[in-house]
Amino acid sequence: MVKDLQGANKLGVVAMPYLGIYLPIYDKPYDQYALTKGANRLKPVDQNQNVLTANIWSGNLMLVAHNYTDGTTMFSALQQNTGQVEPYIIAGNVQKNYWLKGREAYVATEDFVCKYTIEYQKVVSEYDISIRKDTPNSIIQIITCLEPKDDMRIITVGNLTKKYTWDEIPFDVAKYFDNEIYPFNVR
C-alpha cells in the first residue's frame, strides 16, 4: 500500500480488476484532498440519521470517489458510457443497470480480503441519503458522480460472497493488491 495521507486513516484498498480500478481507501469522505487520492468510506446511519461506528466487514460498506469522465481515473470506469447519462436515465426516467452483474470487487485490509459480487447499478440524487442506511447483510455500495449530470450519483451494489485471510487468499486475487503490478489509478 502507498504511503498514508497526512492525517488520514487508511482502511485498505479496493480493486475492481475488470474495470482497472485499484485505489487506497481512506476514512475522510468529506475531505477534498483525500477524495483526490483514493476512495473514501462513508459510514452508515440508523433510522434517526445518526452515524454508526461501523465495522468495515459487516453491514453497508460505502465507498466514494471521483468520476473524471475519462473511463480510467478513480471511479470513472464505473460509468458505462463515459460522459452520457444513458442507460442510467432514459427519457427522464431512472433505470437500473446490469452491465456489471456478476463482476467482482475486492476490498483488502491488513487482516482480510473480501470479495463482493456486483448485482446492479442505480442512480440517485446527490441529496438521497436512503443509501446510507445500514443493512443486516454485508453489501458494498460504490458511489461516484453520473457525468455530465453530476447532481446524480451512480451506486454500484454488490453482495459479500467470500472473505479470505491473507494466509488463505488465492494468488490470482492477492496479486491485485501488489502496487507494482497494479498501480493505483489516481491522478
Side-chain angles (χ1 to χ4, degrees), residues 71-93:
T72 59
T73 308
M74 305 287 273
F75 281 168
S76 298
L78 289 169
Q79 187 165 341
Q80 184 175 3
N81 298 320
T82 303
Q84 300 176 32
V85 297
E86 296 84 10
Y88 304 98
I89 302 173
I90 300 174
N93 296 311

mmCIF file of all heavy atoms in Angstrom, residues 71-93:
data_model
loop_
_atom_site.group_PDB
_atom_site.id
_atom_site.type_symbol
_atom_site.label_atom_id
_atom_site.label_comp_id
_atom_site.label_asym_id
_atom_site.label_seq_id
_atom_site.Cartn_x
_atom_site.Cartn_y
_atom_site.Cartn_z
ATOM 1 N N GLY A 71 -12.975 7.429 -18.092
ATOM 2 C CA GLY A 71 -13.069 5.976 -18.177
ATOM 3 C C GLY A 71 -11.964 5.212 -17.468
ATOM 4 O O GLY A 71 -11.994 3.990 -17.445
ATOM 5 N N THR A 72 -10.981 5.932 -16.889
ATOM 6 C CA THR A 72 -9.861 5.223 -16.261
ATOM 7 C C THR A 72 -9.478 5.723 -14.875
ATOM 8 O O THR A 72 -8.996 4.932 -14.067
ATOM 9 C CB THR A 72 -8.596 5.292 -17.153
ATOM 10 O OG1 THR A 72 -8.254 6.661 -17.366
ATOM 11 C CG2 THR A 72 -8.815 4.604 -18.487
ATOM 12 N N THR A 73 -9.622 7.008 -14.595
ATOM 13 C CA THR A 73 -9.135 7.569 -13.339
ATOM 14 C C THR A 73 -10.165 7.424 -12.225
ATOM 15 O O THR A 73 -11.349 7.696 -12.437
ATOM 16 C CB THR A 73 -8.777 9.060 -13.521
ATOM 17 O OG1 THR A 73 -7.909 9.188 -14.646
ATOM 18 C CG2 THR A 73 -8.095 9.624 -12.289
ATOM 19 N N MET A 74 -9.694 6.990 -11.039
ATOM 20 C CA MET A 74 -10.539 6.811 -9.856
ATOM 21 C C MET A 74 -11.719 5.884 -10.200
ATOM 22 O O MET A 74 -11.502 4.807 -10.691
ATOM 23 C CB MET A 74 -10.997 8.153 -9.296
ATOM 24 C CG MET A 74 -9.859 9.110 -8.977
ATOM 25 S SD MET A 74 -8.917 8.677 -7.531
ATOM 26 C CE MET A 74 -9.878 9.464 -6.288
ATOM 27 N N PHE A 75 -12.974 6.330 -9.951
ATOM 28 C CA PHE A 75 -14.151 5.508 -10.236
ATOM 29 C C PHE A 75 -14.785 5.834 -11.588
ATOM 30 O O PHE A 75 -15.928 5.473 -11.860
ATOM 31 C CB PHE A 75 -15.194 5.670 -9.129
ATOM 32 C CG PHE A 75 -14.906 4.874 -7.870
ATOM 33 C CD1 PHE A 75 -15.635 5.128 -6.726
ATOM 34 C CD2 PHE A 75 -13.957 3.874 -7.821
ATOM 35 C CE1 PHE A 75 -15.410 4.408 -5.552
ATOM 36 C CE2 PHE A 75 -13.711 3.151 -6.657
ATOM 37 C CZ PHE A 75 -14.443 3.421 -5.522
ATOM 38 N N SER A 76 -14.062 6.502 -12.479
ATOM 39 C CA SER A 76 -14.594 6.861 -13.793
ATOM 40 C C SER A 76 -15.067 5.649 -14.594
ATOM 41 O O SER A 76 -16.040 5.731 -15.340
ATOM 42 C CB SER A 76 -13.547 7.622 -14.615
ATOM 43 O OG SER A 76 -13.182 8.818 -13.992
ATOM 44 N N ALA A 77 -14.392 4.517 -14.446
ATOM 45 C CA ALA A 77 -14.732 3.318 -15.214
ATOM 46 C C ALA A 77 -16.075 2.715 -14.815
ATOM 47 O O ALA A 77 -16.609 1.856 -15.521
ATOM 48 C CB ALA A 77 -13.631 2.271 -15.067
ATOM 49 N N LEU A 78 -16.657 3.164 -13.700
ATOM 50 C CA LEU A 78 -17.959 2.637 -13.276
ATOM 51 C C LEU A 78 -19.112 3.144 -14.144
ATOM 52 O O LEU A 78 -20.185 2.558 -14.141
ATOM 53 C CB LEU A 78 -18.238 3.006 -11.819
ATOM 54 C CG LEU A 78 -17.392 2.260 -10.800
ATOM 55 C CD1 LEU A 78 -17.541 2.885 -9.424
ATOM 56 C CD2 LEU A 78 -17.765 0.786 -10.772
ATOM 57 N N GLN A 79 -18.912 4.234 -14.877
ATOM 58 C CA GLN A 79 -19.971 4.752 -15.743
ATOM 59 C C GLN A 79 -19.900 4.037 -17.077
ATOM 60 O O GLN A 79 -18.901 4.110 -17.786
ATOM 61 C CB GLN A 79 -19.837 6.269 -15.935
ATOM 62 C CG GLN A 79 -21.002 6.853 -16.680
ATOM 63 C CD GLN A 79 -21.074 8.369 -16.573
ATOM 64 O OE1 GLN A 79 -20.481 8.962 -15.687
ATOM 65 N NE2 GLN A 79 -21.830 8.970 -17.463
ATOM 66 N N GLN A 80 -20.979 3.352 -17.432
ATOM 67 C CA GLN A 80 -20.964 2.502 -18.616
ATOM 68 C C GLN A 80 -20.609 3.272 -19.885
ATOM 69 O O GLN A 80 -19.755 2.839 -20.637
ATOM 70 C CB GLN A 80 -22.305 1.793 -18.799
ATOM 71 C CG GLN A 80 -22.279 0.831 -19.975
ATOM 72 C CD GLN A 80 -23.538 0.030 -20.116
ATOM 73 O OE1 GLN A 80 -24.497 0.182 -19.381
ATOM 74 N NE2 GLN A 80 -23.550 -0.859 -21.083
ATOM 75 N N ASN A 81 -21.258 4.365 -20.146
ATOM 76 C CA ASN A 81 -20.979 5.173 -21.328
ATOM 77 C C ASN A 81 -20.407 6.508 -20.861
ATOM 78 O O ASN A 81 -21.154 7.380 -20.427
ATOM 79 C CB ASN A 81 -22.249 5.389 -22.159
ATOM 80 C CG ASN A 81 -22.809 4.086 -22.685
ATOM 81 O OD1 ASN A 81 -22.067 3.206 -23.097
ATOM 82 N ND2 ASN A 81 -24.116 3.938 -22.641
ATOM 83 N N THR A 82 -19.106 6.654 -20.972
ATOM 84 C CA THR A 82 -18.420 7.836 -20.464
ATOM 85 C C THR A 82 -19.056 9.121 -20.978
ATOM 86 O O THR A 82 -19.227 9.296 -22.177
ATOM 87 C CB THR A 82 -16.927 7.791 -20.867
ATOM 88 O OG1 THR A 82 -16.370 6.577 -20.373
ATOM 89 C CG2 THR A 82 -16.169 8.965 -20.300
ATOM 90 N N GLY A 83 -19.447 9.989 -20.044
ATOM 91 C CA GLY A 83 -19.983 11.292 -20.396
ATOM 92 C C GLY A 83 -21.418 11.294 -20.904
ATOM 93 O O GLY A 83 -21.894 12.308 -21.405
ATOM 94 N N GLN A 84 -22.123 10.166 -20.752
ATOM 95 C CA GLN A 84 -23.517 10.081 -21.195
ATOM 96 C C GLN A 84 -24.381 9.559 -20.050
ATOM 97 O O GLN A 84 -23.980 8.639 -19.348
ATOM 98 C CB GLN A 84 -23.662 9.129 -22.379
ATOM 99 C CG GLN A 84 -22.868 9.530 -23.591
ATOM 100 C CD GLN A 84 -22.979 8.491 -24.688
ATOM 101 O OE1 GLN A 84 -23.998 7.826 -24.833
ATOM 102 N NE2 GLN A 84 -21.926 8.342 -25.462
ATOM 103 N N VAL A 85 -25.571 10.106 -19.891
ATOM 104 C CA VAL A 85 -26.440 9.651 -18.805
ATOM 105 C C VAL A 85 -27.134 8.332 -19.135
ATOM 106 O O VAL A 85 -27.564 7.617 -18.235
ATOM 107 C CB VAL A 85 -27.478 10.718 -18.399
ATOM 108 C CG1 VAL A 85 -26.783 11.954 -17.865
ATOM 109 C CG2 VAL A 85 -28.421 11.061 -19.534
ATOM 110 N N GLU A 86 -27.263 7.992 -20.417
ATOM 111 C CA GLU A 86 -27.851 6.710 -20.785
ATOM 112 C C GLU A 86 -26.844 5.605 -20.496
ATOM 113 O O GLU A 86 -25.658 5.813 -20.699
ATOM 114 C CB GLU A 86 -28.225 6.672 -22.278
ATOM 115 C CG GLU A 86 -29.297 7.641 -22.695
ATOM 116 C CD GLU A 86 -28.730 9.037 -22.994
ATOM 117 O OE1 GLU A 86 -27.494 9.190 -23.048
ATOM 118 O OE2 GLU A 86 -29.508 9.968 -23.132
ATOM 119 N N PRO A 87 -27.218 4.464 -20.037
ATOM 120 C CA PRO A 87 -28.548 3.899 -19.827
ATOM 121 C C PRO A 87 -29.118 4.128 -18.423
ATOM 122 O O PRO A 87 -30.091 3.493 -18.052
ATOM 123 C CB PRO A 87 -28.312 2.406 -20.068
ATOM 124 C CG PRO A 87 -26.938 2.179 -19.522
ATOM 125 C CD PRO A 87 -26.174 3.444 -19.844
ATOM 126 N N TYR A 88 -28.528 5.025 -17.646
ATOM 127 C CA TYR A 88 -28.998 5.265 -16.279
ATOM 128 C C TYR A 88 -30.277 6.099 -16.237
ATOM 129 O O TYR A 88 -31.124 5.892 -15.383
ATOM 130 C CB TYR A 88 -27.907 5.951 -15.454
ATOM 131 C CG TYR A 88 -26.621 5.172 -15.452
ATOM 132 C CD1 TYR A 88 -25.576 5.496 -16.308
ATOM 133 C CD2 TYR A 88 -26.460 4.078 -14.610
ATOM 134 C CE1 TYR A 88 -24.404 4.761 -16.314
ATOM 135 C CE2 TYR A 88 -25.298 3.337 -14.613
ATOM 136 C CZ TYR A 88 -24.269 3.683 -15.477
ATOM 137 O OH TYR A 88 -23.120 2.944 -15.488
ATOM 138 N N ILE A 89 -30.368 7.042 -17.151
ATOM 139 C CA ILE A 89 -31.561 7.877 -17.271
ATOM 140 C C ILE A 89 -31.956 7.875 -18.739
ATOM 141 O O ILE A 89 -31.181 8.296 -19.596
ATOM 142 C CB ILE A 89 -31.304 9.326 -16.791
ATOM 143 C CG1 ILE A 89 -30.826 9.325 -15.343
ATOM 144 C CG2 ILE A 89 -32.565 10.169 -16.961
ATOM 145 C CD1 ILE A 89 -30.391 10.688 -14.826
ATOM 146 N N ILE A 90 -33.151 7.369 -19.020
ATOM 147 C CA ILE A 90 -33.659 7.309 -20.387
ATOM 148 C C ILE A 90 -34.995 8.030 -20.432
ATOM 149 O O ILE A 90 -35.903 7.686 -19.670
ATOM 150 C CB ILE A 90 -33.802 5.847 -20.879
ATOM 151 C CG1 ILE A 90 -32.429 5.156 -20.852
ATOM 152 C CG2 ILE A 90 -34.426 5.797 -22.267
ATOM 153 C CD1 ILE A 90 -32.454 3.686 -21.162
ATOM 154 N N ALA A 91 -35.090 9.024 -21.305
ATOM 155 C CA ALA A 91 -36.303 9.845 -21.449
ATOM 156 C C ALA A 91 -36.769 10.388 -20.096
ATOM 157 O O ALA A 91 -37.957 10.388 -19.788
ATOM 158 C CB ALA A 91 -37.413 9.050 -22.142
ATOM 159 N N GLY A 92 -35.801 10.785 -19.271
ATOM 160 C CA GLY A 92 -36.116 11.363 -17.966
ATOM 161 C C GLY A 92 -36.414 10.360 -16.873
ATOM 162 O O GLY A 92 -36.660 10.731 -15.731
ATOM 163 N N ASN A 93 -36.398 9.070 -17.198
ATOM 164 C CA ASN A 93 -36.708 8.018 -16.218
ATOM 165 C C ASN A 93 -35.437 7.298 -15.778
ATOM 166 O O ASN A 93 -34.634 6.864 -16.602
ATOM 167 C CB ASN A 93 -37.689 6.995 -16.818
ATOM 168 C CG ASN A 93 -39.011 7.619 -17.142
ATOM 169 O OD1 ASN A 93 -39.595 8.320 -16.323
ATOM 170 N ND2 ASN A 93 -39.487 7.406 -18.366
#
